[in-house]
Amino acid sequence: MADKNWPLWEVFIRTRNGMAHRHAGSVHAVDAAMALQNARDVYTRRGEGLSIWVVPSAAITASDPADKGLMFEPTASKIYRHPTFYDVPDEVGHM
Amino acid sequence: MTDDRRQTTDNRSVGGGNGLPSPVVCPPSSVFEYTLRLADNALILGHRLSEWCGHAPVLEEDLALPNMALDLIGQARALYAYAAELEGEGRHEDALAYLRDAGDFRNVLLVEQPNGDFAVTMIRQLLFASYAHPHFEALAHSRDATLAAIAAKAAKEMAYHVRHCGEWTIRLGDGTEESHARAQAALDELWPFTGELFEVDATERALVEAGLAADSASLRPDWDRTIAEVLAQATLTRPRDAWMQSGGRAGRHSEHLGYILADMQFLQRAYPGAAW
């Protein structure tokens, strides 16, 4: 037995009310089929979902928190990207 | 009480004596007996699985095992409630679960076998679920509407048990040298308890003919196929069908059942009627 710990998988669940799959947490499992079952057993015990994705945690490429400045701060000054400058006629109602 | 059962009861007054073939007679007491068998299987196996809670090798399995236990205990509750109603003597489902002694339990011997190592638990569950799944699927077509409804729900639960325990059996059998040896040992140890699953006595035969019960004997090919598929992938060897243990349905149990009941029934016996 090479590794003492099983590989880690990220779990994404689509809830009953539609919407996209959302990250729910992670599980350890020897392979994809077992990861799916473990995700079912750990994260859907109270009827939380109708669909599960599992992805090897190692397959996720994450941004570096140290890059926060160069990655995300430049957008802070570009408020014109928010669609809040339009005059919406009253007749349109709630959008 | 369902219409189906009333009809069955009415059948008793029809036929016989006037040259007509005697109709199948199924008194409510035989439906009670059959329901109790199903309930006892579910309760005892559910209790066995619940013993793993907090002891499983990994967190994921520590949830999976009690999940399966709760499926079974849920089935047991529904079946006991119906059995109590059929009996009509004012006994509550809890009285059937907690106030009967070992000789009154009707579960098959397989489900009371000790948990052993992880392989024993997984293979015991695979052997039982592979029988219970097609059994409940067939029972979902019962003329008894209550049994049919309980079975339809239980069939889905048992299908998952087959999948989960089947995948584990494959990985244990086709895993390391040690996991293979342990899985094969578990299979060899439990195999003599599988014959009892397919026994059909006179009570059950009459219920099958009346369209009320599932015919266990006819489900054997389904079971054989499921087990053969898993064992092939698991590189495990199917033991020979030699001497088979039997007697659970007649109340002749291994000594293990007494210990299970001591653990499970202590509270209700020490504090009758205790509830939360």
Side-chain angles (χ1 to χ4, degrees), chain A residues 6 26-28 30-31 33-34 37-38 40-42 45, chain B residues 58-61 63-64 67 70 160 163-164 167-168 171:
Chain A
W6 296 339
S26 53
V27 291
H28 285 97
V30 290
D31 52 39
M34 293 308 288
Q37 294 190 12
N38 290 350
R40 180 264 193 194
D41 281 320
V42 174
R45 300 177 76 236
Chain B
V58 293
L59 176 145
E60 288 79 355
E61 211 55 40
L63 283 159
N67 280 354
L70 288 170
Y160 184 77
R163 179 177 295 185
H164 188 70
E167 295 289 357
W168 261 118
R171 282 156 183 78

Side-chain angles (χ1 to χ4, degrees), chain A residues 3 19 22 30 37-38 55 63 65 68-69 77 80 92 94:
Chain A
D3 296 320
M19 314 302 275
R22 291 183 63 161
V30 290
Q37 294 190 12
N38 290 350
V55 181
S63 61
K68 199 173 68 177
S77 60
Y80 48 82
V92 172
H94 183 68

